[in-house]
Amino acid sequence: MTARPGIPAVAAAHHAVGQNVLTGIMLKIVSVAVFVGMSSCIKAAGTVPAGQIVFFRSFFAIFPIIVFLAFKGQLGTAFTTSRPLNHVARGVVGVCSMGLSFFALTRLPLPEAITLNYAQPLLVVVFSSIFLGEAIRIYRWSAVAVGLIGVVVISWPELTLLNSGAALGDQEVLGVVAALVSAAIAANAILLVRNLVQTERTATIVLWFSATASVAGLLSLPFGWQALTPSQAGLLVAAGFCGGLAQILMTAAYRHAEASVVAPFEYTSMILAVVVGYFAFGDVATLNTLVGGVIVVAAGLFIIWRERQLGLERTRTRQAAPPQG
């Protein structure tokens, strides 16, 4: 007969699970903050061909990854993998999403581009349920929906695509389509990352992606790159460094928690964007922004609380289970 674990062992197991979830959430929030910095650099660089942005963002992302690998003593085996085709597939999907996202960012006002991108976390939850079989309870569905409502509340006054009587320009129409398609593709890319972390190291996943994206971006050279000013070049290089660091943090986040748990914290980028906008560009937050921000934060806190409650329920269930033997 197998002995049932004692209370200290059960408590320790529950603590470990809870710590993993919280670690995943914190890593996601930090990665989002760095991604906001990356997007700000790209936006400040002005209208640059999407393929050119993809190259700079991907190629210069390799450098922080190399530093990370050297620090861990894994530089010699960085590219070692038993699943090269999976990495290439993740890279191709990620590049498509990235290119469309950058195209939208240079064609749309920042509020519209950010708001349209917020379709991604909701799609991750949907796709996680369909393709990964993750159990999504009504509480998490509700929290994601509430978070999305908060984003709409924040952006509603600036949504010129909805409240303007003027017809959309061709470039804006293309930007809207690109942003929405990018969000859908990015949701699938996240599921691919979730699959890869089962067997692959975080740095290996990020390095393969950056290398694949760099090659793809470079292949766009014949389709029209433009000469960059020193300021533009500096901003794009900085975007690349930020992208590499954020990619490491994001991939690590999905190693610690389910995609459907981590994904909703993408909403925190809206709050961070408000702070960055105020201090960097003098943008004053409106009442809509403050109210919507509270809604987004509340939704995120509810998810943390709910995951803790589920962890306690799982612990009680294991503790009450009859002994095996």
Side-chain angles (χ1 to χ4, degrees), residues 29-200:
I29 292 174
V30 176
S31 76
V32 165
V34 181
F35 272 128
V36 168
M38 182 198 75
S39 297
S40 299
C41 289
I42 291 172
K43 186 68 177 176
T47 303
V48 178
Q52 191 171 3
I53 300 175
V54 167
F55 172 77
F56 272 85
R57 181 258 183 260
S58 304
F59 179 75
F60 288 98
I62 294 176
F63 293 94
I65 298 171
I66 290 176
V67 172
F68 175 74
L69 289 171
F71 177 77
K72 297 190 67 175
Q74 300 174 351
L75 194 56
T77 58
F79 270 102
T80 302
T81 179
S82 60
R83 306 171 65 186
L85 294 181
N86 296 76
H87 283 286
V88 172
R90 181 266 187 274
V92 170
V93 172
V95 165
C96 291
S97 174
M98 186 190 299
L100 290 168
S101 175
F102 294 161
F103 179 88
L105 193 61
T106 57
R107 264 66 180 183
L108 291 173
L110 191 58
E112 282 83 347
I114 291 177
T115 302
L116 292 171
N117 188 57
Y118 270 101
Q120 176 189 323
L122 185 57
L123 292 173
V124 170
V125 173
V126 175
F127 294 160
S128 295
S129 177
I130 296 173
F131 299 122
L132 299 184
E134 292 183 3
I136 314 298
R137 297 172 176 82
I138 186 64
Y139 298 100
R140 204 182 299 169
W141 285 117
S142 301
V144 172
V146 169
L148 185 58
I149 291 171
V151 172
V152 173
V153 170
I154 292 171
S155 302
W156 190 261
E158 289 82 23
L159 282 175
T160 57
L161 299 183
L162 297 178
N163 62 23
S164 174
L168 296 178
D170 291 342
Q171 290 300 310
E172 287 183 311
V173 172
L174 290 174
V176 172
V177 174
L180 292 176
V181 175
S182 172
I185 296 175
N188 284 283
I190 288 174
L191 299 190
L192 292 174
V193 171
R194 179 68 177 168
N195 178 262
L196 280 170
V197 296
Q198 304 300 320
T199 60
E200 305 294 291

